[in-house]
Amino acid sequence: MATFLYKLGRISFRRRHFVALIWVALLTLAGVGAASAPAAGNSSFSIPGTEAQKAFDLLEQRFPGMSADGATARVVFKAPSGEKMTDPGNKATVQEAVKELADGSGVVRVTDPYQAKAVSKDGTVAYAQVSYKVSGMELEDSSRDALEDSAQDARKAGLTVEIGGDALQTVPHTGTTEIIGIAVAAVVLVITFGSLVAAGLPLLTALIGVGIGVSSITALASALDLGSTTSTLAMMIGLAVGIDYALFIVSRYRAELAEGRDREDAAGRAVGTAGSAVVFAGLTVVIALVGLSVVNIPMLTKMGIAAAGTVAIAVLIALTMVPALLGYAGRRVKQAGQKGKLLGRAGKQDKPVKPNLGTRWASFVVRRPVAVLLLGVVGLGAAAVPAASLELGLPDDGSQPTSTTQRRAYDLLSEGFGPGFNGPLMVVVDAKDSDDPKAAFTAVGDEIKGLDDVVTVTPPAPNKAGDTATITVIPDSKPSSVATEDLVHSIRGKGAGIKADSDANVLVTGQTAMNIDVSEKLNDALIPYLVLVVGLAFLLLIVVFRSILVPLKAALGFLLSVTAALGAVVAVFQWGWLADLMGVEQTGPVMSMMPIFMVGVVFGLAMDYEVFLVTRMREAYVHGEKAGQAIVTGFRHGARVVTAAAVIMMAVFAGFIGSSESMVKMIGFGLAIAVFFDAFVVRMAIVPAVLALLGRKAWWLPKWLDRALPNVDVEGEGLRSASERGGQDKELVRA
């Protein structure tokens, strides 16, 4: 592989005009496609195989005009102080608003609060429910505008009016902190390279890669039902790895220049060595992201594949466009040890005087491996303690900031009717095979009334055929509570007895039940996903490092860092530690997809540092150094770059903490803290400590396996061997 990538690097350097033209053309094509594509909202949400989804599908068949999965909005009215919603003036205002709402486009029905008995006992709060033909993701802006205009008219009459429900779903925005993250990345690159030109190359190539990836996602969003969150996460991951991969190659290029090579040869060798590490690091990220498809949640699958595509683009750009831009930059990119005019020049003769920080740290770890290992493991273990209290759920309006109308509507409903009104359960009774459907409907209602945590059970509402009915159940607890989850399981538990007595099937659905089913599905998929992703990456790393213990150590270190990161997420978003600093207005359960998404993304990113740092060590070991000295050599060449890459990645991820979308905010924080733990504790401390303790055994591989594995030559040994024979460059160029 090193030889092939060497050729690719030299060709890209020499044919830089052609390479740059191709990537600019791709960026233009993707941009035109994105600009001309129809707009798409958030992707539709379906969970194949869950009971809640089966109930939705059944309702579509038996209640064809019901639009069971259509968007809903709850317009909540509150009377002025000292008045009631039943006062004639307030009642007239509400009924006028209901009439306006019914005339809106795409509206199926609107419930009148006074006919539906949707007025609180104290008479101060009432609500009207609006049902739409299409889902919230497909709802047109004109429908949302009509909804808000009706509420505004009622406000002018003196009422407090707030709107909840999924009809007001909006595209999340990330805020100015994303720009700050990119600015921090730029500063780190300038400090690392001491040159604006060298620092600008990784930023430029990363932005081009993300531009192509996100524009392609936007262009295909409508056709493939890709939501706005998909492009946001693809941007987050693509930007981080794009900068890092380019950073690795530019850094190696400068090191090759310092060894006296000409610029074209240095570009080829940088791509042949660091580029090999980039390929395998990118493969681990792609495996982890594409592996999310095993969960069988379409939205998560699309997010993973879209982000994986952006990572693949970042790898290709690093291997081709980076050497092309190095050709354009010429002498403006200095060799390692020299700095540009911006930060002054440092002569090469100064380097041997004082070992760099990476060398000094690695030497310390090699001398004190047990102490460093224990300190790192204990520290991560302490950070992981909150993960034992992890509670999973999906966000509802109660997790929105208090500045939003959705959150204020949620609070008004809780105040007037109780928290359970924000998460009603829909029980679907399929009595098609029953001899007495009406009796079955009544029996189900009576069974549910006898359960704990139930406030209200509405009478059964059968369809025209009389073989299926819906029953609305209002819990006593809020939607995200454990009590509501227990109630859903209790109703489903009663269904088995009802099936035996009357041949009627009982299904529980609704947004709350769907959230519970999603959480359980993700929990069940976590272990198989871990086995698949870690197993495939383990095999890949055996090929890269030609070792059993090094990949095993890499996987165990990852488990430490991701568990510690989950502990930090629980502490902030569930317990409320530093919540104000992070802009978390409402604590609650951690999003159910957070653990599995973090496992996928963090594993891939963790392997970036593992591959780049440890391949440098293996390169030194293969070239004749002792095991302990190889660790120091690997840190001397790689620690500065890995540190810069980690700081950049943390800055990019932390930039998304400013997002208005709670899922993006949580993922941004989780990934940033996970990178910190993995890069600075696991890879910089635990990894060299373990390798120092293992010594030569770290690179042991059974002879039969050594013969069976393909030789991918990540260390570039083939390049060195050919060079020692002479004629290396000419042979490769002619090839």
Side-chain angles (χ1 to χ4, degrees), residues 17 57 65 122 140 170 255 285 302 310 332 372 404 493 507 516 526 532 549 551 559 563 602 616 679 722:
H17 301 309
D57 297 339
D122 62 4
E140 296 181 356
T170 56
V285 180
K302 293 172 185 176
T310 307
R332 288 186 290 274
V372 172
T404 62
L507 303 172
I516 292 170
L526 184 58
L532 173 69
L549 296 179
L559 292 176
T563 306
V602 174
R616 270 294 201 172

Side-chain angles (χ1 to χ4, degrees), residues 87-419:
D87 294 346
N90 294 335
K91 185 174 182 179
T93 300
V94 171
Q95 289 176 329
E96 180 63 28
V98 168
K99 184 179 178 181
E100 289 183 28
L101 290 168
D103 292 336
S105 62
V107 175
V108 176
R109 60 187 171 276
V110 180
T111 60
D112 187 317
Y114 303 100
Q115 295 179 5
K117 299 181 180 179
V119 180
S120 63
K121 290 182 179 179
D122 62 4
T124 59
V125 179
Y127 72 89
Q129 181 151 316
V130 187
S131 301
Y132 293 88
K133 295 178 183 178
V134 297
S135 66
M137 301 79 174
E138 303 168 302
L139 201 62
E140 296 181 356
D141 289 339
S142 58
S143 298
R144 294 190 180 95
D145 293 340
L147 180 64
E148 293 174 343
D149 290 344
S150 300
Q152 189 60 35
D153 292 341
R155 291 189 186 106
K156 291 178 180 177
L159 298 179
T160 299
V161 187
E162 305 295 347
I163 307 170
D166 59 356
L168 289 184
Q169 286 180 333
T170 56
V171 177
H173 63 273
T174 54
T176 57
T177 50
E178 178 188 353
I179 306 300
I180 295 173
I182 296 176
V184 171
V187 171
V188 173
L189 287 169
V190 170
I191 294 173
T192 302
F193 293 135
S195 164
L196 284 176
V197 175
L201 289 180
L203 279 177
L204 177 60
T205 54
L207 290 173
I208 291 174
V210 167
I212 294 173
V214 173
S215 296
S216 300
I217 292 170
T218 304
L220 298 172
S222 180
L224 301 181
D225 193 24
L226 303 176
S228 56
T229 303
T230 302
S231 59
T232 302
L233 295 175
M235 182 196 307
M236 179 192 301
I237 296 168
L239 191 61
V241 300
I243 294 174
D244 280 6
Y245 294 163
L247 170 63
F248 293 159
I249 291 177
V250 172
S251 176
R252 186 58 183 256
Y253 170 77
R254 297 176 73 235
E256 295 293 339
L257 288 178
E259 293 185 10
R261 306 189 191 282
D262 66 77
R263 294 187 178 275
E264 184 176 327
D265 186 37
R269 288 179 176 274
V271 175
T273 52
S276 297
V278 165
V279 169
F280 283 98
L283 273 176
T284 58
V285 180
V286 169
I287 288 172
L289 291 170
V290 173
L292 290 170
S293 58
V294 304
V295 184
N296 196 27
I297 295 179
M299 184 185 76
L300 198 58
T301 298
K302 293 172 185 176
M303 288 166 56
I305 292 175
T310 307
V311 171
I313 292 171
V315 171
L316 292 174
I317 282 185
L319 298 178
T320 57
M321 193 169 187
V322 169
L325 292 180
L326 288 172
Y328 282 119
R331 297 183 179 279
R332 288 186 290 274
V333 176
K334 308 297 180 182
Q335 66 186 46
Q338 288 187 348
K339 299 181 179 180
K341 295 179 180 179
L342 180 67
L343 297 181
R345 298 181 180 272
K348 291 174 62 176
Q349 67 275 13
D350 295 334
K351 289 180 65 178
V353 174
K354 183 180 180 182
N356 62 21
L357 181 60
T359 302
R360 298 197 300 273
W361 169 250
S363 300
F364 171 78
V365 174
V366 169
R367 292 195 306 271
R368 301 283 188 273
V370 175
V372 172
L373 178 62
L374 288 177
L375 186 61
V377 171
V378 171
L380 289 180
V385 169
S389 303
L390 177 67
E391 295 178 9
L392 298 177
L394 285 178
D396 53 27
D397 285 348
S399 63
Q400 295 273 5
T402 53
S403 58
T404 62
T405 186
Q406 295 97 316
R407 173 59 187 279
R408 292 195 292 264
Y410 181 98
D411 292 339
L412 283 177
L413 282 174
S414 297
E415 175 189 330
F417 301 93

Side-chain angles (χ1 to χ4, degrees), residues 502-566:
S502 62
D503 289 326
N505 290 317
V506 177
L507 303 172
V508 184
T509 188
Q511 189 61 50
T512 301
M514 180 70 83
N515 290 352
I516 292 170
D517 287 351
V518 170
S519 296
E520 293 179 352
K521 190 177 183 71
L522 288 165
N523 284 339
D524 294 341
L526 184 58
I527 299 302
Y529 175 69
L530 263 175
V531 171
L532 173 69
V533 172
V534 176
L536 287 176
F538 180 77
L539 295 176
L540 184 65
L541 292 178
I542 288 178
V543 174
V544 174
F545 295 126
R546 308 193 75 78
S547 164
I548 298 292
L549 296 179
V550 170
L552 180 62
K553 170 264 309 168
L556 293 176
F558 153 74
L559 292 176
L560 275 174
S561 58
V562 78
T563 306
L566 277 175

Side-chain angles (χ1 to χ4, degrees), residues 491-501 506:
I491 296 173
R492 290 172 174 170
K494 293 291 184 181
I498 293 170
K499 172 70 174 177
D501 295 339
V506 177

